[in-house]
């Protein structure tokens, strides 16, 4: 057994991803594996929305329109970034948290389940030889964007996971030293 997939995991910036993306069989296998997450109470507090092909450009245009409407003085560069944000990677998986309020399973546990899916997508994409990046940004927290994607009132965007072929090597970032983040409680 090897911890290499975890030890080598890194995010590839979405602007460094391109075609080809996973084929249909690879994508199905990736998504099936990604949803094998801890799910206290078996609530299935998540769902996935695929954005591919021309829909990527349409999502970017709609996102830019929402941004301009919400912030009339938004800089042109920010709106241009919105228009292009979904155009690099051939596949974007919108991971959605679907929270059941008032359930015995705390809401935070339900949201964490969807976060596990986003992380599994990163690991799985890399295992298949692709790159991936989990992004949020303002659009992940905007109710108009959520409505655009068909989310219900009890749903929120956990992240946009961009998946594609790595066009250039991803930068390595410093990681926290284990000694700086590990403690031991001894009662």
């Amino acid at each position: 057994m090897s911890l290499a997939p975890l030890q080598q995991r890194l995010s590839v910036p979405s602007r460094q991803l391109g075609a080809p993306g996973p084929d249909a069989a690879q994508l199905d296998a990736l998504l099936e594996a990604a949803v094998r997450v801890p799910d206290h109470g078996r609530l299935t507090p998540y769902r996935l929305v695929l954005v591919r092909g021309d829909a990527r450009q349409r999502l970017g245009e709609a996102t830019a329109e929402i941004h301009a409407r919400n912030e009339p003085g938004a800089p042109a560069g920010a709106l241009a970034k919105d228009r292009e944000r979904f155009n690099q990677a051939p596949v974007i998986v919108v991971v959605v948290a679907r929270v059941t309020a008032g359930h015995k399973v705390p809401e935070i546990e339900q949201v964490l389940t969807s976060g596990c899916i986003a992380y599994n997508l990163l690991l799985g994409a890399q295992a298949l030889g692709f790159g991936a990046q989990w992004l949020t940004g303002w659009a992940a927290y905007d109710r108009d964007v959520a409505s655009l994607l068909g989310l219900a009132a009890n749903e929120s965007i956990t992240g946009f996971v961009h998946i594609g072929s790595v066009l250039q090597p991803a930068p390595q970032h410093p990681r926290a030293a284990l000694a700086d983040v590990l403690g031991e409680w001894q009662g």
Side-chain angles (χ1 to χ4, degrees), residues 45 97 99 106-116 156 158:
V99 173
E107 291 183 19
I108 186 65
E109 288 186 32
Q110 297 177 52
V111 172
L112 288 170
T113 294
S114 71
C116 289
S156 60
T158 301

Side-chain angles (χ1 to χ4, degrees), residues 95-109:
V95 180
V96 177
R98 184 173 49 199
V99 173
T100 302
H103 194 276
K104 70 176 184 175
V105 176
E107 291 183 19
I108 186 65
E109 288 186 32

Side-chain angles (χ1 to χ4, degrees), residues 135-184:
L135 294 172
T136 53
W138 72 268
Y141 307 106
D142 186 272
R143 284 316 301 174
D144 290 333
V145 174
S147 294
L148 174 70
L149 291 167
L151 275 61
N154 69 324
E155 295 179 322
S156 60
I157 297 169
T158 301
F160 300 94
V161 180
H162 299 242
I163 303 168
S165 292
V166 178
L167 301 178
Q168 54 186 304
Q172 293 287 339
H173 298 288
R175 305 289 178 178
L178 184 57
D180 294 340
V181 297
L182 178 65
E184 184 172 346

